[in-house]
Amino acid sequence: MNLAHILARSARTFPERPALLVGDRQLHTYAALAARSARLAGYLRQNLGLEAGERVAIYMSNCAEYLECLYGILWAGLVVVPINAKLHPREAAWIVGNAGARLVCVSADLAGELAPVLHDEGGVVPLLVPGDGHYLRAVTALAIPVQERTPDALAWLFYTSGTTGQPKGVMLSHRNLQTMTACFFTDVDPVARDDAAVYAAPLSHGAGLYSFPYMLRGCRHVIPESGGFEPDELIALSRSVGRLCLFAAPTMVRRLVDRVQRSGADPSGFQTIVYGGGPMYADDIRIALHAMGPRFVQIYGQGESPMTITALSREVLANRADPDWASRVASVGVAQALAEVRIVDVEGRSLASDEVGEVVVRGDAVMSGYWRNPAASAATLRDGWLWTGDMGSMDSHGFVTLKDRSKDLIISGGSNIYPREVEEVLIAHPAVREVSVIGRRDEDWGESVVAFVVLEEGSRGVGADELDRHCLDRMARFKRPKEYRFVDALPKNNYGKVLKTSLRRLLLEAQAGCIPDQAK
Ligand code: AMP
């Protein structure tokens, strides 16, 4: 079944329900959104002559036309290649070339910069720009029915965020995305028809993937006027639109919670906040629950098993009476319904409860491989299991606690130190706003621990000695950072993930004397 059937179904069942809003202003009903997608699909297939399975990229910031492009491409039986709008046009052009895309839907603000670099790369890929004449022709073309696709046909080519090296195209089929959608209802949120999905995070990533369950239920889809994440705007929308549901990276949750706390806003207009995509420190989720109540659900996934490895439910997060609550909130929850999860050693043997190893996952959400990259596919998919590269443990009840990416593990004096453990302790200090811990080469110890710290406003007086005392009270001596570096901000990629590779480079450069040593 083609995944786009979910939009066709909702349009048939509830044609007059509001489907798309920009801010709190309604733009399209379900009937209108489906009709525009069906016409765009007709334009792609009939007018442009694209054939089933060909790729169409979307390089647009979150905007009103995003969803009709996304669903129109799928409706046409084509493969969507969403590219993060924050990527440099050259990076976007690289993805367009790698995917062999035949067309790029690109917003007007990005088209001017993309066109010349696409040309430089030798591509003659046409652009479709919302608002221009071609686009108007596309959404008024002759509609076609949803084009049939087999469950294993490619639906979404998902480029990894590339925290190391070139991004890889993760091949996601209609079945993979249907499985993710089914798991959403069982493990993340049942979704009520009055809910409103608000897209504050890039639609090219998790937020766009999570449009599927809300489309199936016939909910409202809200594009913020700003096209992005603005805490005050979200708070205003929670009042005017109500029942807001959003997917947010941990840094966004932190900013939203902070704003709610400072402004004393009523959080009741937020229905569900799903967080994931990076570590959420236990201390942060405790504060979030205190400030906004039981509205949070955590998911752990990766592009290769989109949004679908484990989930930590609203109920578990809210159940403070549970004697294991403290460890539960620090976990990423239990395997989602249609995902088998194990913790294994390097040979792939299952480890006992609480032992740390690599997280592997199997199930119908797992990708079929990387686009035109058999070597990387073979290294990541072994005997039907996806090797996530994440280290973690599973307790006797199935709760998984992540430690770190395997490559981030620090081995000092022969002992394993998981940066996440050190970060958890440091973030609990009231003066610490953000922290990232990495290893540096050390003659005596093999590696030693270095903490990059962003201090809260007004806490500039806090120094290494104070943080060291804080650590001494809370963790084994050998895990304490040997060095603190106080910085104004941590380097992050376009999805808000901290770039530990950049921090390592910074240390190497400082060691080589390229930049002044900033350690206090
Ligand atoms: P991406 O494929 O870019 O979405 O990145 C996936 C990676 O983000 C995972 O392999 C994890 O390392 C990390 N990640 C995702 N969700 C979580 C989570 N809930 N907690 C901690 N790390 C996470």
Side-chain angles (χ1 to χ4, degrees):
M1 181 188 118
N2 183 333
L3 190 63
H5 270 297
I6 64 179
L7 172 57
R9 173 186 184 269
S10 289
R12 213 171 24 244
T13 318
F14 2 85
E16 294 312 320
R17 268 201 212 165
L20 187 67
L21 285 77
V22 173
D24 52 13
R25 186 172 46 89
Q26 181 180 326
L27 203 63
H28 299 310
T29 60
Y30 266 89
L33 182 63
R36 287 174 71 89
S37 303
R39 293 200 189 105
L40 194 99
Y43 178 79
L44 298 174
R45 294 298 298 269
Q46 317 284 19
N47 300 49
L48 298 187
L50 301 187
E51 290 180 19
E54 290 196 302
R55 276 81 53 209
V56 176
I58 303 182
Y59 181 43
M60 306 200 305
S61 23
N62 288 3
C63 61
E65 292 83 2
Y66 204 112
L67 288 178
E68 66 197 24
C69 287
L70 179 62
Y71 283 79
I73 294 165
L74 293 172
W75 191 294
L78 300 162
V79 178
V80 63
V81 187
I83 303 173
N84 187 339
K86 289 188 190 145
L87 290 188
H88 188 280
R90 282 200 185 278
E91 296 170 305
W94 185 89
I95 292 177
V96 170
N98 186 266
R102 295 283 315 278
L103 176 81
V104 187
C105 300
V106 55
S107 33
D109 54 325
L110 299 169
E113 288 185 67
L114 180 66
V117 291
L118 269 182
H119 193 256
D120 285 356
E121 307 266 322
V124 277
V125 187
L127 305 182
L128 188 62
V129 184
D132 81 359
H134 288 293
Y135 196 83
L136 198 65
R137 214 170 311 140
V139 289
T140 50
L142 219 55
I144 56 169
V146 176
Q147 301 295 291
E148 267 328 302
R149 300 301 283 149
T150 60
D152 290 322
L154 193 55
W156 183 307
L157 204 47
F158 187 105
Y159 276 81
T160 55
S161 47
T163 44
T164 50
Q166 286 288 21
K168 296 188 281 290
V170 173
M171 295 193 286
L172 300 177
S173 66
H174 290 265
R175 191 202 303 275
N176 293 151
L177 300 178
Q178 285 157 10
T179 305
M180 178 205 75
T181 305
C183 285
F184 188 91
F185 293 121
T186 51
D187 300 290
V188 183
D189 203 23
V191 183
R193 55 165 282 185
D194 294 332
D195 286 352
V198 60
Y199 300 106
L203 275 158
S204 53
H205 214 69
L209 289 166
Y210 272 173
S211 72
F212 299 125
Y214 294 96
M215 202 57 89
L216 192 50
R217 257 311 181 241
C219 299
R220 294 162 295 164
H221 300 259
V222 183
I223 309 285
E225 298 265 8
S226 69
F229 174 75
E230 296 293 341
D232 284 327
E233 184 181 27
L234 283 177
I235 292 169
L237 285 172
S238 76
R239 286 195 209 104
S240 56
V241 173
R243 294 192 68 92
L244 283 193
C245 302
L246 68 147
F247 173 71
T251 44
M252 291 160 67
V253 172
R254 220 185 136 102
R255 280 181 56 203
L256 178 64
V257 166
D258 197 50
R259 196 68 203 118
V260 166
Q261 275 184 319
R262 279 173 207 263
S263 64
D266 170 13
S268 63
F270 288 93
Q271 179 61 21
T272 304
I273 299 171
V274 182
Y275 65 92
M280 171 74 121
Y281 299 109
D283 214 45
D284 285 343
I285 188 62
R286 271 196 211 102
I287 295 170
L289 286 163
H290 180 72
M292 294 186 69
R295 302 169 199 287
F296 297 91
V297 184
Q298 181 178 198
I299 64 101
Y300 155 51
Q302 57 177 208
E304 291 82 346
S305 184
M307 318 300 265
T308 315
I309 301 177
T310 65
L312 183 63
S313 71
R314 185 192 303 261
E315 292 71 28
V316 172
L317 276 167
N319 185 12
R320 280 168 185 268
D322 180 347
D324 291 326
W325 186 75
S327 64
R328 297 278 195 257
V329 294
S331 79
V332 289
V334 300
Q336 293 195 27
L338 302 174
E340 273 179 90
V341 177
R342 292 192 298 138
I343 308 292
V344 299
D345 66 12
V346 285
E347 308 288 344
R349 287 178 296 240
S350 288
L351 293 174
S353 294
D354 301 317
E355 276 191 65
V356 176
E358 184 159 344
V359 181
V360 295
V361 55
R362 180 166 75 172
D364 277 351
V366 171
M367 66 163 184
S368 52
Y370 294 112
W371 176 251
R372 294 180 176 163
N373 195 341
S377 305
T380 311
L381 291 172
R382 287 181 252 160
D383 299 327
W385 291 86
L386 168 72
W387 288 61
T388 61
D390 291 317
M391 303 299 284
S393 60
M394 188 188 284
D395 73 10
S396 56
H397 291 95
F399 283 82
V400 173
T401 300
L402 291 184
K403 299 293 180 190
D404 282 284
R405 305 282 303 163
S406 46
K407 63 182 181 322
D408 291 334
L409 178 70
I410 301 170
I411 304 179
S412 184
S415 300
N416 287 358
I417 301 173
Y418 294 99
R420 172 86 190 259
E421 284 180 78
V422 184
E423 291 164 3
E424 287 274 8
V425 167
L426 283 168
I427 199 81
H429 190 288
V432 175
R433 174 134 56 95
E434 285 191 294
V435 60
S436 185
V437 165
I438 59 170
R440 78 151 8 138
R441 241 178 298 128
D442 184 297
E443 297 266 304
D444 299 327
W445 298 97
E447 279 183 296
S448 64
V449 178
V450 180
F452 283 78
V453 176
V454 181
L455 290 174
E456 291 284 4
E457 292 290 322
S459 301
R460 302 285 174 200
V462 172
D465 293 346
E466 156 98 23
L467 295 181
D468 194 46
R469 273 196 299 279
H470 173 82
C471 289
L472 268 174
D473 286 346
R474 292 166 178 83
M475 67 163 81
R477 297 185 74 89
F478 74 92
K479 295 183 186 169
R480 283 153 48 231
K482 296 271 183 306
E483 182 184 340
Y484 289 91
R485 288 180 164 254
F486 295 91
V487 289
D488 292 334
L490 295 174
K492 294 186 182 142
N493 73 5
N494 289 309
Y495 296 100
K497 286 183 206 256
V498 175
L499 288 167
K500 293 205 172 190
T501 38
S502 301
L503 294 176
R504 287 192 194 99
R505 205 174 321 120
L506 209 69
L507 278 186
L508 280 175
E509 284 168 4
Q511 262 171 331
C514 302
I515 57 165
D517 199 310
Q518 300 163 3
K520 281 188 188 168

